[in-house]
């Protein structure tokens, strides 16, 4: 089993949140950060399921940040 260092992803998530004017890191920022490395594990996982990371990012971009649907349980 290989160790995974998530610190770079967490750091990028913090920067992503700041760039978007958000004061806290949300799941969206973590996902965007994980997908920012085109050769990373998240992108490889999506490709293995025939999903393009760019399509996931486009879907995030198309969803209003104040969409109440993302808060449903």
């Amino acid at each position: 089993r290989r160790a995974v260092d998530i610190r770079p992803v967490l750091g990028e998530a913090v920067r992503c949140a700041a760039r978007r004017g958000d004061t806290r890191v949300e799941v969206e920022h973590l996902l965007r950060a994980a997908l920012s490395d085109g050769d990373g594990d998240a992108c490889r996982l999506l490709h293995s399921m025939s999903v393009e990371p760019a399509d996931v990012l486009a879907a995030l971009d198309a969803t209003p940040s104040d969409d109440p649907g993302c808060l449903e349980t």
Side-chain angles (χ1 to χ4, degrees), residues 6-34:
I6 65 166
R7 290 176 290 185
V9 172
L10 294 175
E12 178 58 27
V14 170
R15 289 186 292 279
C16 178
R19 283 191 303 270
R20 294 176 157 287
D22 296 324
T23 57
R24 60 185 187 184
V25 174
E26 302 286 351
V27 172
E28 173 189 353
H29 305 122
L30 290 166
L31 181 55
R32 286 181 184 279

Side-chain angles (χ1 to χ4, degrees), residues 23-69:
T23 57
R24 60 185 187 184
V25 174
E26 302 286 351
V27 172
E28 173 189 353
H29 305 122
L30 290 166
L31 181 55
R32 286 181 184 279
L35 296 179
S36 70
D37 178 3
D39 295 325
D41 291 337
C43 288
R44 280 197 298 277
L45 176 63
L46 289 177
H47 282 131
S48 76
M49 297 184 297
S50 300
V51 175
E52 287 298 320
D55 292 342
V56 174
L57 292 170
L60 285 174
D61 290 340
T63 303
S65 60
D66 61 349
D67 181 2

